Amino acid sequence: MDQQNELSAHSSLALIESMINKAQNQFSENGTLYLVWGWVVSICSLGQYLLLKLNMTNFKQSGFIWLMTIPVMIYQIFFLIQKKKTEKVKTYTDEIIGYVWMTFGICMGLFSYIMAMLQIWNLFYPFIFLFYGIPTFLSGAIMRFKPLMVGGIICWVLSLVSVQIHSIEVILLLIPAVLFGWIIPGYLLRARFKSA
Amino acid sequence: MFKELDPILHSQLRLAVMSLLIGVKEADFTFIREKTNSTAGNLSVQVQKLKDAGYIDVVKQFKDNYPQTTCKVTPEGILAFENYVKALQEYLKVGN
């Protein structure tokens, strides 16, 4: 009887372990939003830099190029609604990551408003990189996905670098920030999702 | 001397369902069926037993005109699962 219970205990624990692993290896992140936002931010920052460099607009007017992010926000809403409709499982990981990015979105919105009100533009880029690094690093830590953690650290390094740059070239730092923070991890997440 | 193993959990498919649900917020019936390699009929019976024991919540609704069943572990289910694992550990300690 004891022998039977022991065997049963072993097989029960093995079953529990295998099922928990199956639930943990459920990758719902396919990197789409990282890629979309990464490319849009890259295009907007390069566009804004070129507009200023070629003296086509003043600084305030060049900022209108960022209106390109509005269609992306609309796409994101539809994308997330669609994802919610088709997902078969809701994990705590996805939920926490969702809140992390929601916090980032709210902070970016508030920060942009505060900067526009106070007109302290020399603080703008260091803080943008600082903010970019937070959800990127945390998402990587929660998902146990090192490329995102490295991307977050690179954003923080760029935050320090941006303090030293006092010309419009600081805008170009957004490109390595999103390249290492979102684009490269986005493609790696996509590859992981496809192979899962 | 030994804690009794919970008969509701001490069944392969029911234990598999609980182990799967313990790590997620909620899961669709089809997801559980795929991961446990079970038939819809058998899974349906075992899910009902877990529901009757109060270990899981089952929500049936329509999503885009298709029926959808979502399962979620309850606090009672978490407690029962923890006690079950503790009881297993007791058996293993004695076995070693």
Side-chain angles (χ1 to χ4, degrees), chain A residues 8 13 22 88 90 95, chain B residues 25-26 28 34-35 92:
Chain A
S8 178
L13 279 178
K22 277 187 184 179
K88 288 180 178 176
K90 274 185 198 165
E95 192 180 47
Chain B
K25 195 181 176 198
E26 58 184 46
D28 201 84
E34 282 166 20
K35 296 291 172 189
L92 288 172

Side-chain angles (χ1 to χ4, degrees), chain A residues 114-135:
Chain A
I114 293 165
M115 284 291 114
M117 289 291 116
L118 298 178
Q119 301 279 320
I120 317 170
W121 293 108
N122 58 339
L123 281 180
F124 186 75
Y125 286 98
F127 272 92
I128 285 285
F129 296 123
L130 198 74
F131 281 135
Y132 274 11
I134 296 169

Side-chain angles (χ1 to χ4, degrees), chain A residues 2 5-6 8-10 12-13 15-16 19-20 22-23 26 84-92 95, chain B residues 2 10 12 15-16 19-20 24-28 30-31 34-35 63-64 81 84-85 88 91-92 95:
Chain A
D2 278 345
N5 276 336
E6 193 190 334
S8 178
H10 275 295
S12 293
L13 279 178
L15 177 67
I16 291 169
M19 282 297 136
I20 288 176
K22 277 187 184 179
Q26 190 61 31
K84 204 174 162 70
K85 272 185 184 174
T86 53
E87 71 186 357
K88 288 180 178 176
V89 61
K90 274 185 198 165
T91 63
Y92 290 108
E95 192 180 47
Chain B
F2 289 118
H10 202 57
Q12 193 168 356
L15 183 61
S19 306
L20 203 56
V24 299
K25 195 181 176 198
E26 58 184 46
D28 201 84
T30 51
F31 174 83
E34 282 166 20
K35 296 291 172 189
K63 211 176 201 180
D64 291 338
F81 188 81
Y84 180 79
V85 173
L88 284 183
Y91 277 106
L92 288 172

Side-chain angles (χ1 to χ4, degrees), chain B residues 70-85:
Chain B
T70 310
C71 303
K72 185 182 179 178
V73 72
T74 62
E76 292 83 14
I78 294 171
L79 191 66
F81 188 81
E82 283 173 353
N83 287 335
Y84 180 79
V85 173

